[in-house]
Amino acid sequence: WGGTSVKGVDCSGMVKTAYFANGVILARDASQQALTGEKIAPDAWRDCRKGDLLFFGNAQTGRVTHVAMYLGDGKFIHASTSQGVIVSSLKEKYYTQHWLCGGRVK
């Protein structure tokens, strides 16, 4: 969790590093990062702006298990445990089903 080294980066480590490179310090893991900033409601993903955080997890419990950074046009960048750092779409069924909310860090 919070991997930011050359030995491995995970989802929260990736966004933590990107924000840190721009002078913003984020918490270590995705569930802690979800507590930061202005919330973007689950049904309002179209209001997301480039650089906003996207949180995914268990919709029934609200438990955050994954974080990504919004790129615009429904796309986001994230670190996948099986594929490395990749770009995905909010239109993909898996992400649609696991989308919880967004967050805007100022």
Side-chain angles (χ1 to χ4, degrees):
W1 287 332
T4 57
S5 75
V6 294
K7 292 185 178 191
V9 64
D10 68 359
C11 63
S12 58
M14 187 204 75
V15 298
K16 180 179 173 66
T17 300
Y19 269 75
F20 184 76
N22 289 281
V24 178
I25 297 173
L26 291 179
R28 187 177 81 108
D29 67 37
S31 62
Q32 294 169 336
Q33 292 170 355
L35 302 174
T36 304
E38 176 186 332
K39 297 294 176 252
I40 300 167
D43 59 349
W45 73 264
R46 287 175 180 84
D47 294 335
C48 289
R49 298 181 196 156
K50 291 178 183 178
D52 284 345
L53 299 179
L54 306 179
F55 298 102
F56 302 91
N58 185 316
Q60 293 177 343
T61 65
R63 182 173 179 259
V64 173
T65 58
H66 192 64
V67 62
M69 186 180 306
Y70 192 64
L71 298 174
D73 196 32
K75 304 242 187 264
F76 59 94
I77 189 167
H78 61 122
S80 162
T81 54
S82 62
Q83 300 175 27
V85 176
I86 59 172
V87 174
S88 297
S89 172
L90 284 169
K91 297 174 186 174
E92 293 175 44
K93 184 177 179 179
Y94 177 85
Y95 297 110
T96 301
Q97 292 175 339
H98 292 89
W99 159 257
L100 297 177
C101 66
R104 181 164 300 138
V105 179
K106 296 181 179 182

